[in-house]
Amino acid sequence: QVTLKESGPGILQPSQTLSLTCTFSGFSLSTYGMGVGWIRQPSGKGLEWLANIWWDDDKYYNPSLKNRLTISKDTSNNQAFLKITNVDTADTATYYCARTGTHTMGIAFDYWGQGVMVTVSS
Amino acid sequence: DIQMTQSPASLSASLGETVTIECLASEDIYDILAWYQQKPGKSPQLLIYDASSLHTGVPSRFSGSGSGTQYSLKINSLQPEDFASYYCQNGLSAPHTFGAGTKLELK
């Protein structure tokens, strides 16, 4: 059974660094073809893809966030991480992590976490 | 970057009706397109991947089609649980942009 769960600070101030953790089970990020992505959604708005990390440590980022994103993984502890530097109120959103795998020729997130709400406020 | 234009933004339909949602990519994405359903307060759920492959457990009234830059999601015989928001996603290349979404409401 595949599960993912996000954790984060809940609230932080502008200019701080947001650190998110995705703890998963039921698959391994060292298995060929597996990947974990981060997606966010401001309240009442649409989905925004942020970043992806693959089994071979290949990483892809959304260029709209410039150089503020860093994705990483800890394969032995079944975790993936996302850091966003210099946060602003526009980063207030629910953040999801999700799995993609060999069921698709590209990316399609077949399992999602429940999401974690992050508020940026002074 | 590939842009995804989804239409309509909202759709009102009755139980038992058939509806279609469209997604237009700014360039050829070679059928690497996913569709998701999201209900209020819940995480998105994968419906279709690779344009037309039904994800495990998804009812057969959902179907995906298209090629090149034009794709569609069809829902036959709408059920009460189908009233939700729907998103397409470019699965081919980063950034893996989502469409803006379609909110399907009960008429």
Side-chain angles (χ1 to χ4, degrees):
Chain A
Q1 181 190 4
V2 174
T3 65
L4 302 98
K5 187 172 184 179
E6 309 86 350
S7 57
I11 187 164
L12 66 165
Q13 295 184 336
S15 81
Q16 289 186 320
T17 295
L18 169 60
S19 295
L20 297 167
T21 299
C22 175
T23 303
F24 54 85
S25 63
F27 70 100
S28 172
L29 251 183
S30 62
T31 299
Y32 173 86
M34 289 296 164
V36 167
W38 286 94
I39 303 99
R40 71 180 180 182
Q41 184 173 38
S43 181
K45 298 193 176 180
L47 301 168
E48 180 180 27
W49 175 81
L50 298 176
N52 246 75
I53 190 165
W54 293 95
W55 84 100
D56 60 357
D57 211 36
D58 213 0
K59 299 164 188 173
Y60 294 88
Y61 296 101
N62 190 329
S64 71
L65 278 82
K66 298 189 174 75
N67 297 319
R68 298 174 53 213
L69 300 177
T70 303
I71 194 170
S72 60
K73 61 182 172 70
D74 179 349
T75 303
S76 54
N77 287 307
N78 285 341
Q79 291 180 314
F81 310 97
L82 183 71
K83 289 189 191 297
I84 306 179
T85 60
N86 193 27
V87 297
D88 180 74
T89 54
D91 296 309
T92 294
T94 296
Y95 286 76
Y96 297 99
C97 65
R99 185 193 85 156
T100 185
T102 54
H103 60 284
T104 174
M105 297 175 64
I107 274 193
F109 296 115
D110 57 350
Y111 290 92
W112 293 64
Q114 63 190 27
V116 61
M117 287 189 60
V118 173
T119 302
V120 179
S121 175
S122 54
Chain B
D1 296 355
I2 298 171
Q3 310 302 319
M4 306 299 290
T5 303
Q6 189 174 336
S7 61
S10 63
L11 185 53
S12 186
S14 303
L15 291 173
E17 245 186 88
T18 294
V19 297
T20 300
I21 299 168
E22 309 281 346
C23 192
L24 178 67
S26 60
E27 59 187 81
D28 194 332
I29 56 172
Y30 302 97
D31 301 356
I32 311 302
L33 178 110
W35 289 98
Y36 301 88
Q37 177 193 67
Q38 186 180 31
K39 297 180 180 179
K42 300 293 186 183
S43 305
Q45 292 189 311
L46 180 65
L47 297 174
I48 302 282
Y49 62 93
D50 295 349
S52 60
S53 296
L54 200 65
H55 182 51
T56 305
V58 175
S60 59
R61 63 180 180 273
F62 291 91
S63 63
S65 63
S67 63
T69 62
Q70 295 184 297
Y71 300 88
S72 60
L73 173 70
K74 185 177 179 182
I75 313 172
N76 288 316
S77 187
L78 280 168
Q79 299 300 301
E81 60 269 28
D82 300 336
F83 293 91
S85 294
Y86 293 86
Y87 296 90
C88 61
Q89 184 192 22
N90 152 38
L92 178 66
S93 61
H96 296 284
T97 312
F98 291 89
T102 296
K103 188 172 183 179
L104 176 58
E105 297 174 309
L106 182 61
K107 188 184 289 183

